[in-house]
Amino acid sequence: MMSRIAYVNGRYVPHSEASVHVEDRGFQFADGVYEVVAVYKGQLIDEQGHLDRLERSLDELRIAMPLARAALAQILRRMVRLNLVREGLVYFQVTRGVAPRDFPFPFAAAPTLVITARNKKFPGRDVKAVTVITTPDQRWARRDIKTVALLPATLAKQKAKEAGAFEAWQVDADGYVTEGASSNAWIVTKDNVIVTRQADHNILRGITRMAIIEFAKENGFKFEERAFSVEEAQNAREAFVSSASTFVMPVWKIDNVAISNGEIGPVGKTLRDAYFDAMDQLANDARTRSTD
Ligand code: PLP
């Protein structure tokens, strides 16, 4: 039985013993950011996009990168190897560090870096559609920063779970969907236009979202970045969510309104296949490189 390894501030430690200080600002103030990267066939998916966003989130909060980007990328790979992850997730979190509890930034604190990795089997290309509920968006005004302040997401996810739904779509004061608790939200209109909300401060600019926009363009789909209401979504031809762990996940029911029979729609299928094609290609390229 292999035991899991975590990375904490320069050390590889048994997962069960991994810990941070009680005065870590991530614990006390949610003063930190994170990323989740999928591992598929042993490869980190959309790695550069996630590292770019980590740097941006840290920059917005004036937290230093805990180490050089290339060093971090190496550690992520080592974590995948040490934990024997073929398919799963790597989680990494950076906080402002450990300091006596006081709101303003500490004068001298080194950022805390924690990394975990685990195996998780993803649904394959042929996935069944899921259901979503809607809930008021109760988050702060800078949702473009991927902070560890995940209490609103936790409450929304719990509500979804209690309703037997896969995800909660958060809705702004004007009745427009912002995004899922941990995913971006998409619809395909009756005129076959793919719509997802524009990436301003109101949503997280999903790395998966960016890849899907490229796949949509490559496949000649019409695409619009704009807000859509719950009602528009309930009248859509297709709907889906996207994230590093779901890729393109079709949605067949929004609150109590069914928009399909539970099968993935043609646009969702094309985009999900495009994602899997790209991931398979990445794995093939890596195999070719390692046998050169
Ligand atoms: N929106 C929110 C609020 C999220 O938490 C996430 C991912 O966790 C996403 C969107 C999707 O982002 P990505 O595709 O980079 O995983």
Side-chain angles (χ1 to χ4, degrees):
M1 185 58 190
M2 173 237 140
S3 62
R4 282 180 74 192
I5 303 292
Y7 175 96
V8 185
N9 291 329
R11 293 207 168 86
Y12 295 88
V13 292
H15 189 88
S16 56
E17 291 164 28
S19 60
V20 293
H21 195 276
V22 288
E23 286 200 306
D24 192 279
R25 289 179 64 95
F27 177 57
Q28 297 208 316
F29 298 116
D31 189 359
V33 304
Y34 74 105
E35 283 295 329
V36 180
V37 178
V39 179
Y40 184 78
K41 297 188 176 173
Q43 301 300 310
L44 293 163
I45 304 303
D46 295 328
E47 178 189 3
Q48 298 312 322
H50 287 281
L51 289 174
D52 286 346
R53 190 173 60 191
L54 178 76
E55 288 182 343
R56 180 181 178 278
S57 295
L58 288 172
D59 210 43
E60 290 288 337
L61 301 180
R62 293 196 276 150
I63 300 175
M65 267 289 266
L67 31 77
R69 179 172 169 138
L72 175 57
Q74 265 188 4
I75 297 168
L76 297 178
R77 279 181 177 65
R78 185 150 180 218
M79 284 293 288
V80 169
R81 281 200 309 275
L82 287 174
N83 288 283
L84 306 178
V85 182
R86 292 296 299 162
E87 192 169 320
L89 297 170
V90 180
Y91 177 94
F92 43 116
Q93 172 171 332
V94 181
T95 76
R96 202 180 302 277
V98 176
R101 189 179 184 284
D102 192 14
F103 287 97
F105 299 170
F107 179 66
T112 298
L113 171 60
V114 169
I115 310 175
T116 57
R118 70 180 169 103
N119 276 292
K120 179 184 196 292
K121 191 106 186 74
F122 301 122
R125 290 173 187 252
D126 297 321
V127 72
K128 287 280 176 222
V130 297
T131 63
V132 301
I133 55 152
T134 61
T135 191
D137 197 327
Q138 305 190 98
R139 299 173 299 164
W140 72 327
R142 287 303 304 276
R143 301 156 188 163
D144 56 312
I145 306 172
K146 196 166 169 67
T147 79
V148 294
L150 293 172
L151 185 55
T154 298
L155 298 177
K157 284 281 190 193
Q158 181 62 23
K159 187 172 170 185
K161 186 179 174 188
E162 287 171 10
F166 179 79
E167 177 62 301
W169 277 6
Q170 301 168 105
V171 180
D172 68 17
D174 300 320
Y176 291 96
V177 174
T178 51
E179 60 187 327
S182 65
S183 61
N184 288 115
W186 304 71
I187 57 170
V188 181
T189 67
K190 292 262 154 69
D191 309 326
N192 273 321
V193 182
I194 301 174
V195 182
T196 197
R197 191 167 174 132
Q198 68 279 7
D200 50 22
H201 288 177
N202 287 316
I203 66 161
L204 186 73
R205 186 185 288 258
I207 304 305
T208 318
R209 176 186 179 282
M210 288 198 272
I212 293 171
I213 292 171
E214 286 309 309
F215 297 142
K217 287 181 182 159
E218 282 166 19
N219 282 278
F221 290 125
K222 287 197 207 106
F223 166 68
E224 271 175 26
E225 269 181 299
R226 62 166 174 82
F228 56 83
S229 66
V230 175
E231 193 190 350
E232 183 179 6
Q234 288 173 329
N235 285 296
R237 174 161 287 165
E238 291 180 41
F240 53 92
V241 300
S242 69
S243 71
S245 59
T246 60
F247 315 118
V248 177
M249 180 65 79
V251 170
W252 73 275
K253 194 172 169 203
I254 301 162
D255 285 335
N256 48 7
V257 177
I259 64 166
S260 83
N261 59 3
E263 298 301 320
I264 192 167
V267 176
K269 175 78 181 134
T270 304
L271 294 172
R272 188 172 175 86
D273 278 344
Y275 225 101
F276 276 80
D277 288 346
M279 294 196 294
D280 285 335
Q281 184 68 49
L282 188 75
N284 281 337
D285 292 349
R287 213 174 37 230
T288 311
R289 269 200 310 278
S290 68
T291 53
D292 274 350

